[in-house]
Amino acid sequence: HQHYAEWSPERFLRWAEQLGPHVAQLVAAILSLRLHPEQTYRTCLGILGLAKRYTAERLDAACHRALPAGIRSYNGVRNILEAQLDQLPLQEPVATALSDHANLRGPAYYN
């Protein structure tokens, strides 16, 4: 409990900012998940600790991939790093026009 007293959300955010902007965004998102941010400290510590095993650049890239996917867990970020998905380029979502599909009726059908 004494260690928790020394920690604060600001401390985690400062640490995360040193590792990269996407790490800071992910840590901020995780801290906001709970009413009491103390409940997220272990998750934040785990994610920030991944910079020791992997580089800060790889961790930032993994967080960049995790953010739009809705991943907010240590295991999720670790899995991205272990599978080396952080080293692959992010693919933009493909926008498809629904009006091109033959089975769509359109608004005129309902008049």
Side-chain angles (χ1 to χ4, degrees), residues 65-87:
R65 184 173 287 272
L67 283 163
I71 296 172
R72 305 290 187 264
S73 68
Y74 166 80
N75 285 333
V77 176
R78 189 193 68 212
N79 288 340
I80 291 172
L81 289 165
E82 285 179 353
Q84 298 181 356
L85 297 175
D86 59 295
Q87 297 176 345

Side-chain angles (χ1 to χ4, degrees), residues 19-91:
L19 297 174
H22 300 107
V23 179
Q25 288 176 3
L26 183 63
V27 167
I30 292 170
L31 287 169
S32 68
L33 287 176
R34 304 280 182 173
L35 181 61
H36 302 288
E38 295 83 6
Q39 295 172 336
T40 63
Y41 286 176
R42 286 180 56 100
T43 301
C44 292
L45 277 174
I47 290 172
L48 296 172
L50 288 170
K52 294 177 186 174
R53 183 170 179 196
Y54 304 96
T55 64
E57 293 79 20
R58 286 197 62 199
L59 178 59
D60 192 53
C63 291
H64 183 61
R65 184 173 287 272
L67 283 163
I71 296 172
R72 305 290 187 264
S73 68
Y74 166 80
N75 285 333
V77 176
R78 189 193 68 212
N79 288 340
I80 291 172
L81 289 165
E82 285 179 353
Q84 298 181 356
L85 297 175
D86 59 295
Q87 297 176 345
L88 299 176
L90 281 175
Q91 295 179 351

